[in-house]
Amino acid sequence: MASLSLTQIRGSNSVTEFAQLRLRTQRGRSKIGFLKVVGSQGQSQGEPDLSVTVNGLHMPNPFVIGSGPPGTNYTVMKRAFDEGWGAVIAKTVSLDAAKVINVTPRYARLRAGANGSAKGQIIGWENIELISDRPLETMLKEFKQLKEEYPDRILIASIMEEYNKAAWEELIDRVEQTGIDALEINFSCPHGMPERKMGAAVGQDCALLEEVCGWINAKATVPVWAKMTPNITDITQPARVALKSGCEGVAAINTIMSVMGINLKTLRPEPCVEGYSTPGGYSSKAVHPIALGKVMNIAKLMKSEFDLEKYSLSGIGGVETGGDAAEFILVGANTVQVCTGVMMHGYGLVKKLCDELKDFMKMHNFSSIEDFRGTSLEYFTTHTDLVRRQQEAIQQRKAVKNGLQSDKDWTGDGFVKESESMVSN
């Protein structure tokens, strides 16, 4: 059973129609043959092919650095490319970094094991960290440098702004000039920005989300992913709005609003900053089942209401193994993002993820990601349907056990077997 070991870590680091019309005219190539989501054709024998092409973006594998500390500057993003990550999403940027002021400590961890254990496995991670506090110009310079040095690798900028159309348009224009390959819109940061109508404040308000998505997609010339907040009753509602408002994909989930716990010696909440704290975002292994459920719901929505060849889904939440990633893909994700896992295990984690995902694929004779993407979706149903299915199965088992139910069931074709089916053992 999990218990709290509150270890602090010192941190160092209508609009819809208009938007779609503008997208068709402005993005041109990206709307005609560019957005198709396909898996690379793997060979029937040999090593499975992990490469994917999502919204026209080719990646050597489906593993993406999630926006956060692992994408905070040029040095660490370069390291991610060198280690072999399929794509990198940089830490979220905005126009005015001077408004972003972080505190220390900003993390707290939940461990499994005996109460108060400092050695148990980390299963939960809370952060109260904000978006990038580095000057936008610095981040833009580093984006440009990365694209010059790694022109064939996928670099995605995560952006977030206040409720201001001109500000969004300026940010998109400046970021796109660096040569980035796509945009992920942070509609989901759960702390620190809602009072400025940023992050989750937009993702939790579908009317506001539709308007802002309209601004973004009328301006953007590269694929746009909307990052969804799990801190909402029905995540399919904002996902539907984002896709109908022109976004080419959705990513889910961002962190879950949480309070890691109370230090029972000091009676203060964690992480503790000068004796006080604030609710933060929860991630790591413990959120994986929640994330899997949210992604499954979005995937079912996309399958029923949208053309899957034109839209993509990126799964996020508690990925530390190739099996974790396979589960997201089985419920419909095209790519899988990892953030906290990198903070815990390092950038070399991608090699383990790739090897384990390949082992899973070999076990089932899958040659490409598309061979099994969404395979498990059809096995999710309602509780009412589960009851019906079980009742039918029970009746069938009874029929097999008890033999023929009436004279009309005799066929004569298997007379001996039909007779034996009614013999008591």
Side-chain angles (χ1 to χ4, degrees):
M1 182 176 179
S3 61
L4 285 176
S5 176
L6 300 167
T7 306
Q8 297 178 359
I9 309 169
R10 298 287 167 179
S12 54
N13 309 345
S14 148
V15 171
T16 298
E17 295 178 352
F18 173 75
Q20 292 176 329
L21 176 62
R22 291 294 301 275
L23 274 165
R24 286 193 289 270
T25 58
Q26 288 195 10
R27 296 192 198 178
R29 185 172 68 93
S30 71
K31 279 294 181 180
I32 304 176
F34 183 67
L35 295 178
K36 188 175 182 180
V37 179
V38 297
S40 299
Q41 295 298 314
Q43 300 298 318
S44 57
Q45 297 178 342
E47 284 291 296
D49 181 6
L50 296 185
S51 66
V52 295
T53 301
V54 182
N55 302 131
L57 309 175
H58 182 73
M59 305 175 191
N61 58 68
F63 297 109
V64 178
I65 291 285
S67 180
T72 198
N73 60 41
Y74 165 83
T75 301
V76 297
M77 289 188 279
K78 180 180 186 301
R79 174 70 181 275
F81 282 140
D82 290 341
E83 291 287 353
W85 288 85
V88 173
I89 303 177
K91 193 172 185 181
T92 303
V93 297
S94 62
L95 288 176
D96 189 358
K99 294 181 180 179
V100 181
I101 303 175
N102 277 300
V103 295
T104 302
R106 65 191 72 153
Y107 306 136
R109 300 180 293 192
L110 177 68
R111 293 181 183 272
N115 188 37
S117 171
K119 297 182 180 180
Q121 178 187 15
I122 297 171
I123 61 171
W125 187 292
E126 184 198 0
N127 83 87
I128 56 172
E129 185 165 273
L130 303 181
I131 63 175
S132 178
D133 55 12
R134 304 178 73 218
L136 179 62
E137 283 299 332
T138 300
M139 293 292 285
L140 296 180
K141 180 180 178 181
E142 294 180 356
F143 291 169
K144 189 172 186 298
Q145 183 178 358
L146 282 165
K147 285 306 299 179
E148 289 173 349
E149 296 178 8
Y150 298 88
D152 297 327
R153 303 302 292 278
I154 302 303
L155 177 62
I156 300 173
S158 173
I159 63 174
M160 184 166 74
E161 253 310 321
E162 297 185 23
Y163 180 64
N164 182 306
K165 181 180 180 182
W168 276 106
E169 291 176 339
E170 179 185 351
L171 181 58
I172 291 168
D173 184 56
R174 293 176 67 181
V175 169
E176 284 195 357
Q177 287 182 32
T178 67
I180 52 94
D181 300 285
L183 296 169
E184 183 179 80
I185 314 302
N186 188 338
F187 289 133
S188 46
C189 183
H191 53 269
M193 299 294 182
E195 62 271 19
R196 294 165 55 192
K197 285 193 176 180
M198 299 175 75
V202 180
Q204 293 168 333
D205 184 332
C206 285
L208 195 60
L209 178 67
E210 181 179 26
E211 183 177 18
V212 175
C213 280
W215 299 343
I216 293 167
N217 289 303
K219 180 67 176 178
T221 63
V222 296
V224 173
W225 295 357
K227 190 170 184 179
M228 300 285 97
T229 175
N231 303 302
I232 191 168
T233 302
D234 182 0
I235 199 170
T236 65
Q237 293 183 10
R240 178 185 292 108
V241 168
L243 294 172
K244 285 189 174 182
S245 299
C247 294
E248 284 83 0
V250 293
I253 59 174
N254 205 326
T255 54
I256 301 170
M257 182 66 84
S258 67
V259 171
M260 182 58 82
I262 309 297
N263 185 311
L264 297 182
K265 292 182 180 179
T266 66
L267 311 185
R268 302 299 179 102
E270 301 284 0
C272 192
V273 180
E274 309 304 331
Y276 293 82
S277 191
T278 188
Y282 192 49
S283 60
S284 194
K285 185 180 292 291
V287 311
H288 182 68
I290 299 170
L292 201 61
K294 302 287 187 181
V295 170
M296 180 273 293
N297 285 330
I298 294 174
K300 291 188 74 172
L301 163 76
M302 294 174 68
K303 184 177 181 180
S304 65
E305 298 184 20
F306 296 89
D307 183 348
L308 293 180
E309 291 190 347
K310 294 182 178 180
Y311 300 96
S312 66
L313 176 56
S314 191
I316 315 166
V319 173
E320 295 183 25
T321 69
D324 295 333
E327 289 180 321
F328 273 125
I329 297 169
L330 283 165
V331 297
N334 302 92
T335 58
V336 179
Q337 296 186 31
V338 187
C339 181
T340 307
V342 177
M343 296 172 70
M344 293 171 54
H345 305 293
Y347 291 90
L349 176 65
V350 68
K351 296 180 177 61
K352 173 177 177 286
L353 294 174
C354 287
D355 288 344
E356 291 176 349
L357 184 58
K358 283 183 178 180
D359 288 343
F360 161 78
M361 293 171 68
K362 290 176 184 176
M363 180 171 64
H364 294 278
N365 294 316
F366 296 136
S367 61
S368 71
I369 297 297
E370 283 299 302
D371 281 352
F372 67 98
R373 188 171 69 84
T375 295
S376 299
L377 268 186
E378 65 178 293
Y379 302 113
F380 289 95
T381 185
T382 64
H383 190 272
T384 299
D385 187 55
L386 290 179
V387 171
R388 179 189 64 79
R389 288 174 179 274
Q390 186 158 70
Q391 289 175 339
E392 290 179 354
I394 290 172
Q395 292 302 316
Q396 290 173 359
R397 287 194 290 269
K398 285 182 177 179
V400 170
K401 181 177 180 180
N402 297 330
L404 304 180
Q405 300 298 301
S406 67
D407 287 351
K408 68 179 179 62
D409 295 326
W410 290 91
T411 66
D413 294 330
F415 192 79
V416 175
K417 287 185 177 181
E418 290 174 342
S419 299
E420 289 178 347
S421 72
M422 291 181 284
V423 175
S424 176
N425 294 323

